[in-house]
Amino acid sequence: MLIRPPFALLRTEIAGIPVVQLVQQFGTPVFVYDAAWIVRRLEDLRHFDCVRYAMKACSNLAVLNLLRRHGALVDCVSAGEVRRALYVGYPAQGDPPPIVYTADIFDRESLQLVVEQGIHVNCGSPDMIRQYGQLAPGREITLRINPGFGHGHHLKTNTGGERSKHGIWHEQLGECLKEATQFGLRVTGLHMHIGSGTDLQHLAQVCGAMEKAVLKAGPGIRMISAGGGLPIPYSPEQQYVDLDEYYRLWDNTRQRLQQALGHPIRLEIEPGRFLVAEAGYLISEIRAVKQQGPFTFYLVDAGFNNLARPILYGAYHPISICPADGDTNRPEIDAIVGGPLCESGDIFTQQEGGFVVTRRLPKAQVGDWLILERVGAYGFVMGSNYNSKPFAPEVLIQHGQARLVRRRQTFEDLIREEISPE
């Protein structure tokens, strides 16, 4: 059974280190990652042959290096992500490929990079096959297939079906196999991912679609990828997917395919959120407490420039308070949590559609710290400099030590690439 990090309305420490110490050392706002939870979640997936981290979730070099040292491989979606993987020590080539580039297009930089470095490519469109085949005939590729249906916790995270841009449409598989053959490209694996928040009912459909696609592709297939989308509980009411049943469904599919094709099939999984989300915290300071009619607002120094998921998806994140005076006997009130940006949508307690809601939280005052939790995935990486706000620092806690792994952006950093008129 998966062990879940505890939910708490009051929190005085993170991974054994007092919040006050973290704030004194690194300031606010600040992202803090607990390395032990990342490693724990990786171990939870060890029954898969290959765990390939979808590094778009959190691409900090220290996090990548941590996962590399514990045996995870990586999936990249841009030239920049490929370069990050190479920088922390992933070799360009190997079996299985340490780095896979998965996308629906090649921009010119990424195409040049994967050709020069020999990075394995997972093609999500017929044009990718043609463009890659013209420059690198004779290599191995995998194909990302859109099975014609999708699933996700939000329309914007649904990556399957006819309204999704992702993957090769399942009815075009035969044509794409022929096109790959024309360039001497060997299709050795298939990848299928229909969206985040996968449940077992939809997973069974994906397994069935994968089996059908592999049998159509033929005996050259040596790998199938279950994709990502493994959910984590952002609220106490939510649950993890049953990992044993998740694996059983995919392994049964693999076993049938091995029997049909007559050779071993590697089973990969491609988690992002599942590995890093629960490990992340965003510590902010409450800078104003306002009464707006019947509503109490806690306004903090972190905004959607730091954490965009609430404004993008109406995403729920656990919130806790760390009292600056050490008083842990605060009564609870209903409050709305907002940031400093000049946007009405800069609210952390909102639902899909932008509907502002209250959250039951300890009574707080200016100078207390408010912690947004489970922000390790799609937190810092989706940040921006909106309102000319600098990027927050990132801190990794490992073996009881808090280490700065990205310094706070300065104003000089912010304007470094700009060219001032004479």
Side-chain angles (χ1 to χ4, degrees):
M1 178 181 294
L2 288 167
I3 300 174
R4 74 162 71 190
F7 290 90
L9 294 182
L10 279 165
R11 183 178 297 279
T12 59
E13 63 179 38
I14 294 173
I17 298 182
V19 171
V20 61
Q21 179 180 325
L22 292 167
V23 170
Q24 288 172 348
Q25 188 171 356
F26 304 108
T28 61
V30 57
F31 283 93
V32 178
Y33 308 119
D34 182 351
W37 276 109
I38 297 174
V39 174
R40 182 191 297 271
R41 286 294 172 253
L42 180 59
E43 291 301 318
D44 288 331
L45 298 176
R46 287 298 188 189
H47 37 297
F48 286 87
D49 299 328
C50 173
V51 180
R52 188 175 296 282
Y53 173 53
M55 63 181 286
K56 64 177 183 171
C58 179
S59 59
N60 183 279
L61 296 178
V63 171
L64 289 179
N65 199 36
L66 173 71
L67 286 163
R68 182 189 63 80
R69 288 187 286 104
H70 284 85
L73 305 184
V74 287
D75 179 82
C76 304
V77 298
S78 71
E81 287 189 355
V82 171
R83 294 187 193 280
R84 282 177 175 270
L86 293 170
Y87 187 86
V88 300
Y90 280 100
Q93 302 171 40
D95 186 20
I99 304 170
V100 168
Y101 174 81
T102 298
D104 295 292
I105 69 161
F106 287 117
D107 56 37
R108 296 187 184 278
E109 180 188 6
S110 62
L111 180 56
Q112 180 180 356
L113 181 62
V114 299
V115 170
E116 289 178 351
Q117 296 288 333
I119 302 295
H120 185 90
V121 175
N122 183 29
C123 297
S125 67
D127 282 316
M128 285 186 72
I129 299 172
R130 289 188 283 269
Q131 292 163 8
Y132 189 63
Q134 288 167 358
L135 296 179
R139 293 189 185 177
E140 294 183 356
I141 60 171
T142 49
L143 303 181
R144 177 176 179 170
I145 306 301
N146 182 329
F149 58 89
H151 182 260
H153 67 80
H154 188 279
L155 287 175
K156 294 177 183 177
T157 63
N158 187 323
T159 59
E162 61 187 11
R163 295 184 183 272
S164 172
K165 68 176 184 177
H166 293 295
I168 293 169
W169 190 246
H170 61 104
E171 293 175 343
Q172 297 175 344
L173 175 57
E175 299 170 21
C176 288
L177 291 168
K178 291 178 183 177
E179 191 134 33
T181 300
Q182 290 174 3
F183 289 103
L185 296 172
R186 299 184 299 281
V187 178
T188 59
L190 296 184
H191 169 282
M192 203 171 282
H193 172 56
I194 62 168
S196 63
T198 302
D199 60 42
L200 294 177
Q201 181 181 357
H202 284 90
L203 183 66
Q205 291 181 266
V206 179
C207 289
M210 174 66 85
E211 189 169 348
K212 181 178 178 181
V214 171
L215 293 175
K216 184 172 184 177
I221 301 300
R222 302 197 307 269
M223 181 280 292
I224 57 173
S225 172
L230 286 174
I232 62 105
Y234 284 98
S235 68
E237 297 77 26
Q238 295 175 330
Q239 301 295 325
Y240 298 101
V241 69
D242 183 338
L243 278 184
D244 291 334
E245 181 64 10
Y246 190 99
Y247 175 74
R248 187 190 69 79
L249 284 168
W250 274 113
D251 188 48
N252 286 348
T253 300
R254 184 251 299 270
Q255 297 291 344
R256 289 191 296 271
L257 288 172
Q258 288 184 154
Q259 187 172 9
L261 299 182
H263 58 74
I265 301 288
R266 184 173 73 249
L267 177 58
E268 295 195 1
I269 191 168
E270 187 190 286
R273 172 196 326 276
F274 184 81
L275 294 183
V276 295
E278 295 161 302
Y281 303 80
L282 175 56
I283 306 174
S284 64
E285 183 182 355
I286 297 177
R287 299 298 300 156
V289 178
K290 297 177 69 175
Q291 200 69 30
Q292 306 281 69
F295 296 110
T296 300
F297 282 73
Y298 294 165
L299 300 184
V300 301
D301 61 0
F304 71 67
N305 59 304
N306 304 113
L307 179 64
R309 294 186 74 249
I311 194 172
L312 286 177
Y313 311 127
Y316 181 103
H317 283 272
I319 297 175
S320 59
I321 300 291
C322 178
D325 62 5
D327 178 14
T328 58
N329 294 311
R330 302 278 185 89
E332 294 178 8
I333 66 170
D334 293 323
I336 296 169
V337 179
L341 303 181
C342 190
E343 289 287 344
S344 297
D346 189 26
I347 298 291
F348 290 116
T349 52
Q350 63 177 288
Q351 297 175 336
E352 184 177 351
F355 296 101
V356 175
V357 294
T358 60
R359 187 79 64 87
R360 197 73 179 169
L361 292 169
K363 190 172 183 179
Q365 56 196 24
V366 172
D368 288 340
W369 298 292
L370 184 142
I371 306 165
L372 293 144
E373 305 194 2
R374 287 160 167 74
V375 300
Y378 309 106
F380 182 94
V381 290
M382 295 181 79
S384 74
N385 288 130
Y386 187 55
N387 283 186
S388 288
K389 290 284 189 177
F391 287 121
E394 293 176 286
V395 172
L396 182 69
I397 298 177
Q398 192 172 19
H399 308 307
Q401 299 294 317
R403 179 167 62 96
L404 186 69
V405 294
R406 182 193 296 268
R407 63 180 177 84
R408 188 180 302 279
Q409 190 180 37
T410 65
F411 176 72
E412 288 70 28
D413 296 329
L414 193 66
I415 64 170
R416 193 177 309 280
E417 308 305 324
E418 297 182 39
I419 300 172
S420 177
E422 295 296 334

